[in-house]
Amino acid sequence: MTRLLPRALMAPAVVTLFLWMIVPLAMTIYFSLVRYNLMQPGEKSFIGLANYEYFVTDPDFGPSVLNTLSLLGSVIAITVVLGVALALLVNEPFPAAASSACCSFRRSS
């Protein structure tokens, strides 16, 4: 009985979050498999993987993937470098360390 009550109380939130994630995913998969024209929303025809074939065979697909990967790599590298630099900076004692402790999660000494 003690394990059932917390699970029963969390169930509505878990179901809501699950639907919050699954419904957009299912709609994205559905719209990727049909031919959908925004000017004529009533006319939908199933075309299967033709949309994916169109994008993969497009000559701009390769460079766009490389641009995306380079942007992703640069953002991750900048974030790691600045994060480590900030961590090293905050780890050392500095003037006004006590007043800046309220803005971070470190203990003031």
Side-chain angles (χ1 to χ4, degrees), residues 1-36:
M1 181 66 183
T2 59
R3 299 175 96 184
L4 182 61
L5 182 62
R7 291 179 182 168
L9 291 174
M10 287 189 332
V14 170
V15 169
T16 302
L17 287 174
F18 181 74
L19 290 175
W20 191 271
M21 293 183 299
I22 293 301
V23 169
L25 176 65
M27 290 179 67
T28 301
I29 292 171
Y30 169 73
F31 282 118
S32 73
L33 298 175
V34 298
R35 178 170 309 201
Y36 186 77

Side-chain angles (χ1 to χ4, degrees), residues 32-107:
S32 73
L33 298 175
V34 298
R35 178 170 309 201
Y36 186 77
N37 187 355
L38 289 175
M39 299 300 285
Q40 300 165 344
E43 297 179 15
K44 290 181 241 173
S45 60
F46 180 78
I47 57 171
L49 299 176
N51 284 332
Y52 295 103
E53 180 184 354
Y54 172 77
F55 282 114
V56 171
T57 57
D58 188 14
D60 292 331
F61 180 72
S64 66
V65 169
L66 290 177
N67 288 339
T68 301
L69 291 176
S70 66
L71 179 65
L72 178 71
S74 63
V75 166
I76 290 173
I78 290 170
T79 303
V80 168
V81 167
L82 291 179
V84 169
L86 184 64
L88 291 173
L89 178 68
V90 172
N91 194 33
E92 297 297 321
F94 60 95
S99 63
S100 68
C102 68
C103 303
S104 67
F105 292 110
R106 68 177 196 86
R107 289 188 286 158

